[in-house]
Amino acid sequence: MFGWSVRHRTVKAIETGHGKESLTKCALLLGIDPSQSTPRLWKSARDGKDIGLKLIVVDPRRTQTAERADLWLQLRPGTDTALLMA
């Protein structure tokens, strides 16, 4: 199999340290709603928010994840490529 090892491909969590700060300062979630699809990522995003993680959600739908985000980019469907190329 190509790419990252199985260990790295299946984690789907935001990395945090043992103290009161997040190792990841900002997370960009593009077209994913972890509150519905990936419980482990959703828990790590909520825990990260509690210790200072900035969360940016790019999703046309108002989801539970978008409501919790620091910045919610509500793009029209099909315009995410323009955002990523900017």
Side-chain angles (χ1 to χ4, degrees), residues 73-86:
L73 301 176
Q74 186 180 14
L75 302 179
R76 288 181 293 189
T79 60
D80 52 345
T81 304
L83 171 75
L84 295 174
M85 292 178 67

Side-chain angles (χ1 to χ4, degrees), residues 8-84:
H8 293 292
R9 283 185 279 128
T10 59
V11 171
K12 290 188 183 178
I14 297 170
E15 192 172 347
T16 57
H18 297 290
K20 290 286 184 185
E21 70 177 40
S22 175
L23 295 178
T24 304
K25 302 296 182 193
C26 183
L28 173 68
L29 300 177
L30 182 68
I32 184 173
D33 183 16
S35 66
Q36 297 295 316
S37 62
T38 317
R40 185 172 178 184
L41 178 59
W42 178 234
K43 182 184 180 327
S44 69
R46 284 181 300 157
D47 293 346
K49 285 285 293 172
D50 293 339
I51 58 175
L53 172 77
K54 300 296 182 192
L55 189 61
I56 302 171
V57 175
V58 180
D59 200 331
R61 303 165 294 149
R62 183 177 201 93
T63 61
Q64 192 175 8
T65 308
E67 290 178 4
R68 183 128 177 152
D70 293 304
L71 180 61
W72 173 37
L73 301 176
Q74 186 180 14
L75 302 179
R76 288 181 293 189
T79 60
D80 52 345
T81 304
L83 171 75
L84 295 174

